[in-house]
Amino acid sequence: MRGRHVVEMSTTHKRTAPRDHLHASSKQESPERYTVYPSWKRSLRHVGVATLASFLLGYHLGVINETLESISLDLAFSGSTLAEGLVVSTSLGGAFLGSLFSGVIGDGIGRRRALQLCALPMIIGASMSATTTNLWGMLLGRLFVGMGMGLGPTIASLYVSEVSPAYVRGTFGSLTQISLCLGLLGSLFMGLKAKGIVDWWRTCFWVSVIPAALLALLMEFSAESPHWLFKSGRTAEAEAEFEKLLGGVHVKCAYAELSKSDRVDDADAVTLLDLLQGRYFKVVFIGSILFALQQLSGINAVYYFSSTVFKSFGIPSDRANICIGVANLFGTIVAMLLMDKLGRRVLLLGSFSGMAVSMGLQVVGASSFPSSPGAFYLSAGGMLLFVLTYSLGAGPVPSLLLSEIFPGQIRAKAMAFCM
C-alpha cells in the first residue's frame, strides 16, 4: 500500500524534485508507524475462549443461590444451617487451594494448558454434585469445582493481559468480569425452575459441564502466551504467536518490547519468600490488600444469600436475583467502556466509595425502619446499588491492575499469592 501511495503521488506531482518528494513522502508516512495499531480482532477470539473460565466462576458462585433449598430437601439436611453453610463455602475452600497453586502451574505448563487443566476438576466436581445422593458427595463435588474456580480465573486474567494489544488491554480485561456476570446471570435463570421441577437442581449442575468442556477443547486451538514462551526460551514460537495475535507487521515491534521488559527475568528463581521481602514486598502487599478489600466488601454474601434477604420482605427471590444479575452486568459494561478513558484508579475510588454509601443505606434500613416500606426500599435498593457500584470498579479492576503492575518475572506467582 505504501509503495502504491508513493507511485500515485509522484504521478500527480511530476514537477516536484525527486529528493524533495521523497522527503515529503517520509514526512507523510512517518506518523503512520506510530498511529497504526494492531487489529484487536485477531486476539479477541483467544480472549473470548479464556473468559469461559470466568463464566464458570460466576455460574458456580450463583448456582447455589436458588437451588440450595431444593438440594437440602433432597439430600436430607434441610434446616441445618451448618450443612447449608458447608455446601456454600466448600467451593471457596477449593478455590483457595486452586488459586494457591495457580502461579506454579501457570509458569510450569503454560497459560493455555493451565486453562485446559482447570476445566477437569470443574467437570468432575459438577458431575459428582449432579449425581450425589448424600451431603458428603455434594461437598466433595463442590470442593473439586472450587479447585477449578481458583485456578481458572487467575490464569485467565494473566492470559488476557498477555495476549491483548496494549491499547485495548483494559477493555479486554473487563471481558473477564462481563463473562463472570453472564455466568452468574445464567445460573440465576437456570435456578428459576428449581422449586417447581423435581431434581431440577441436578440439571443446573449438569449444564455447567458444557462450558467447561468447551474451554478444554477450544483452548487447544488458541494461542499460547508469547510472554510465557519467551521466558521459557522458546523465542521462535513466541514470534509465531505474536504473528497470530497481532499480525506480521507488528511482530518485530512487540518482540523488541518484550525483550526489553523481560531482559533480566528469571521466573524460576522467584520464591514465595522473595514476594514477601525486598523490592517486591510493596507491590505484592498492595495487590494483596486490594484483593482482600474486594472480598471483605461482602459481595459473595450478596451472591449467595440475596434470596434470603428479599424473601424476608416478601419479594419473590427469582425476580430479585435477576435484578441483581442485570445490575452487575450493566455496571461491568459501563466499566469496560470507561476503563481505558478514566483509568484504573478513578474507577476503584468511585466504586469503593459507592459501595460504602450503599452499605450504609442497608444498615439504616435494617435498624431504623423495622417492618416498614422504608426498610424494604433502603435494604433492597442499597443491595442493588452495592452490586452496581461493585461492578464499576472493585470487581473488574483488581485482576487487570495486578497483571499490569507486577514485573514479568513474578507476575504469575504474585497474582496467585494475592488472589
Side-chain angles (χ1 to χ4, degrees):
M1 291 296 292
R2 290 183 178 178
R4 191 188 311 166
H5 178 66
V6 172
V7 171
E8 290 174 356
M9 290 294 293
S10 62
T11 304
T12 307
H13 304 282
K14 290 183 179 179
R15 295 180 182 178
T16 305
R19 183 176 298 176
D20 293 336
H21 171 68
L22 289 174
H23 183 63
S25 297
S26 64
K27 282 185 177 181
Q28 290 176 352
E29 290 185 20
S30 58
E32 294 182 10
R33 297 191 186 106
Y34 301 97
T35 57
V36 176
Y37 295 109
S39 174
W40 52 268
K41 296 178 182 179
R42 285 179 170 269
S43 55
L44 179 61
R45 66 183 182 91
H46 306 280
V47 170
V49 174
T51 58
L52 283 173
S54 297
F55 178 89
L56 287 162
L57 171 63
Y59 188 91
H60 285 292
L61 281 175
V63 72
I64 289 295
N65 196 309
E66 282 290 334
T67 59
L68 184 58
E69 184 178 343
S70 301
I71 293 172
S72 63
L73 290 172
D74 287 354
L75 301 185
F77 61 87
S78 180
S80 173
T81 54
L82 175 61
E84 291 179 354
L86 285 174
V87 171
V88 171
S89 59
T90 301
S91 62
L92 299 181
F96 172 77
L97 294 175
S99 182
L100 193 63
F101 294 102
S102 60
V104 176
I105 294 173
D107 278 340
I109 63 176
R111 320 307 193 214
R112 190 162 62 97
R113 295 302 181 196
L115 285 169
Q116 289 180 306
L117 180 63
C118 86
L120 183 60
M122 288 190 175
I123 294 173
I124 295 173
S127 302
M128 292 178 67
S129 296
T131 57
T132 187
T133 57
N134 55 62
L135 174 61
W136 293 108
M138 174 60 69
L139 294 180
L140 188 59
R142 294 290 287 169
L143 182 66
F144 270 98
V145 164
M147 293 172 66
M149 289 167 58
L151 173 61
T154 307
I155 300 297
S157 298
L158 192 61
Y159 178 84
V160 169
S161 70
E162 292 178 343
V163 302
S164 303
Y167 72 101
V168 291
R169 189 171 293 140
T171 302
F172 278 9
S174 299
L175 292 179
T176 59
Q177 186 68 17
I178 288 179
S179 187
L180 186 150
C181 296
L182 291 174
L184 180 63
L185 199 57
S187 68
L188 296 177
F189 272 114
M190 284 295 299
L192 293 179
K193 299 180 181 179
K195 297 174 184 176
I197 301 178
V198 177
D199 284 344
W200 180 257
W201 62 269
R202 298 183 186 274
T203 304
C204 293
F205 283 106
W206 277 123
V207 165
S208 67
V209 173
I210 299 174
L214 284 174
L215 175 62
L217 176 64
L218 295 179
M219 281 308 298
E220 186 66 29
F221 305 100
S222 299
E224 179 57 271
S225 165
H227 294 252
W228 179 78
L229 290 170
F230 181 84
K231 287 192 294 184
S232 301
R234 298 156 65 176
T235 54
E237 293 178 56
E239 289 189 34
E241 297 302 326
F242 267 134
E243 185 172 359
K244 186 187 298 185
L245 293 166
L246 305 177
V249 177
H250 304 277
V251 171
K252 288 185 178 180
C253 180
Y255 188 79
E257 183 180 348
L258 178 61
S259 301
K260 181 180 178 181
S261 63
D262 286 351
R263 188 173 297 164
V264 295
D265 281 4
D266 187 7
D268 293 334
V270 178
T271 64
L272 180 61
L273 191 61
D274 294 328
L275 302 180
L276 301 178
Q277 63 182 9
R279 57 177 177 154
Y280 299 130
F281 173 76
K282 184 177 179 180
V283 68
V284 172
F285 177 78
I286 292 173
S288 300
I289 292 298
L290 194 56
F291 268 108
L293 292 174
Q294 181 198 62
Q295 295 303 305
L296 292 173
S297 68
I299 188 63
N300 287 323
V302 174
Y303 288 157
Y304 286 131
F305 299 111
S306 58
S307 297
T308 305
V309 174
F310 285 105
K311 199 179 296 181
S312 65
F313 290 104
I315 305 299
S317 59
D318 52 357
R319 298 178 186 177
N321 288 331
I322 295 302
C323 289
I324 284 181
V326 171
N328 197 7
L329 179 61
F330 175 75
T332 305
I333 292 175
V334 173
M336 180 184 70
L337 298 176
L338 299 178
M339 186 80 70
D340 290 319
K341 295 180 180 179
L342 297 181
R344 287 48 160 161
R345 184 172 178 270
V346 172
L347 290 181
L348 279 177
L349 290 173
S351 177
F352 278 110
S353 300
M355 291 163 68
V357 172
S358 59
M359 190 63 75
L361 293 177
Q362 294 181 66
V363 171
V364 172
S367 58
S368 303
F369 305 98
S371 303
S372 69
F376 163 69
Y377 289 118
L378 285 175
S379 297
M383 183 174 289
L384 289 174
L385 182 61
F386 179 84
V387 173
L388 177 63
T389 51
Y390 170 85
S391 62
L392 286 173
V397 172
S399 57
L400 173 65
L401 181 63
L402 263 59
S403 65
E404 293 177 333
I405 65 175
F406 286 144
Q409 65 267 34
I410 68 166
R411 187 176 295 135
K413 293 184 176 68
M415 285 189 67
F417 178 82
C418 292
M419 286 189 172

